[in-house]
Amino acid sequence: MHVLSRRAIAATFLFFTLTQMIVCAAKSNKTEVSWDILARKDMVYNQIRGRGIDDERLLDAMLEVERHRFVPKTLEKLAYADHPLPIGKGQTISQPYVVALMTDELKLKATDRVLEIGTGSGYQAAILSLLVKEVYTIEIIRSLADSAAQRLTSLGYENVHVRYGDGFLGWPEEEPFDAVIITCAPPELPEPLIRQLAEGGRLIVPLGDDFQMLTLYKKVAGALEERKITPVRFVPMRGLIEEQ
Ligand code: SAH
């Protein structure tokens, strides 16, 4: 009788422990699949792959980078929607598809060193950082440069170098670059950026004033080959270019 009741107690204890473990496992599973993972999958599969971009490395990078951490807290839930969003100081983070399209057109290699003009939130730089060796990015608004640098460091994007300054001048100490991406719109191509592009390098830019044409250049034997991609709308490039 004594032995039986000890067995009964042990069995009851085991039952409760197992039940507790199952409940805990169910709870932790629930928190793992958080809203942003589902939203990123939807963004990548529907907005990006759905429009014909199928580079697996790029799609993986866009699944990985937590875009909602690059927008103001109040807009977090809109981070994965199919449009640009304000990031403060009158600037915007581009629509996810446009980020993907510009990155895809650059045909990046893991060994590339890339220059970005217009750091903004740092989102485009974070995507690039997963695809290439080093990313150099320049932002003309000090507070945006500072917060992007801080954000990128705290999220662990160690191969991104942020500089506060006028991207018109490029980053001469680090040239030549295998690719240049301009994420603000200049009316014409800044001369220093052409010079800092490596032979065989690619440069993508929304070129124009109010409405722009996304244009890809390739440096071949010192000259630029040009290909127009699609009309786009970006914030204008500021600073020295306005004095040209
Ligand atoms: N790539 C950014 C979005 C860019 S918005 C992202 O992923 O969030 C365009 C940015 O270009 C703005 O932050 C604007 O301040 C910056 N900009 C405008 N003119 C510039 C210049 N001459 N040099 C560097 N940055 C410039």
Side-chain angles (χ1 to χ4, degrees):
M1 187 66 189
H2 184 65
V3 173
L4 254 185
S5 70
R6 275 176 71 178
R7 277 201 187 144
I9 290 168
T12 312
F13 179 74
L14 192 66
F15 173 76
F16 278 113
T17 311
L18 281 174
T19 315
Q20 204 58 31
M21 279 168 68
I22 290 166
V23 169
C24 278
K27 271 190 189 157
S28 70
N29 257 347
K30 217 170 159 191
T31 47
E32 257 171 42
V33 188
S34 62
W35 71 273
D36 62 293
I37 296 176
L38 297 174
R40 266 198 304 286
K41 282 190 175 157
D42 180 65
M43 172 187 86
V44 167
Y45 297 133
N46 294 323
Q47 299 171 34
I48 298 172
R49 192 194 270 162
R51 289 187 179 116
I53 293 178
D54 56 9
D55 178 339
E56 287 301 328
R57 262 182 11 109
L58 172 56
L59 298 179
D60 284 349
M62 297 206 61
L63 277 177
E64 186 174 331
V65 178
E66 298 184 335
R67 184 171 157 98
H68 64 287
R69 303 205 188 271
F70 293 80
V71 302
K73 196 104 186 106
T74 48
L75 300 177
E76 226 179 45
K77 288 287 190 309
L78 296 174
Y80 299 97
D82 197 12
H83 50 71
L85 282 175
I87 52 168
K89 305 283 171 189
Q91 306 306 317
T92 52
I93 179 173
S94 302
Q95 177 191 4
Y97 172 66
V98 172
V99 172
L101 177 65
M102 290 176 82
T103 312
D104 192 43
E105 289 288 353
L106 287 174
K107 303 293 173 228
L108 298 168
K109 294 188 291 294
T111 49
D112 283 349
R113 297 165 66 258
V114 179
L115 174 67
E116 179 193 27
I117 309 304
T119 315
S121 68
Y123 177 70
Q124 172 76 69
I127 297 289
L128 293 169
S129 85
L130 297 180
L131 301 172
V132 302
K133 189 155 179 270
E134 302 291 339
V135 180
Y136 298 85
T137 179
I138 307 176
E139 171 56 53
I140 202 168
I141 298 177
R142 171 156 256 153
S143 61
L144 289 180
D146 289 348
S147 55
Q150 212 170 20
R151 179 178 295 125
L152 288 160
T153 304
S154 72
L155 293 174
Y157 295 102
E158 285 169 6
N159 59 342
V160 182
H161 314 274
V162 182
R163 169 183 274 190
Y164 157 63
D166 193 328
F168 179 88
L169 300 169
W171 198 313
E173 305 90 322
E174 295 295 342
E175 64 155 322
F177 298 99
D178 303 295
V180 175
I181 177 168
I182 307 179
T183 62
C184 46
E188 72 238 19
L189 259 187
E191 188 56 39
L193 300 182
I194 303 173
R195 257 186 279 123
Q196 291 173 29
L197 189 62
E199 175 60 26
R202 291 84 56 206
L203 181 153
I204 196 157
V205 55
L207 204 58
D209 294 310
D210 290 345
F211 291 89
Q212 306 110 27
M213 180 56 75
L214 189 62
T215 310
L216 180 73
Y217 292 93
K218 189 170 180 191
K219 203 182 235 185
V220 181
L224 287 184
E225 286 177 354
E226 181 194 87
R227 179 160 64 85
K228 294 186 170 66
I229 299 172
T230 186
V232 283
R233 214 148 176 215
F234 276 72
V235 295
M237 188 171 194
R238 299 284 182 214
L240 288 167
I241 191 96
E242 295 171 290
E243 295 162 22
Q244 297 299 300

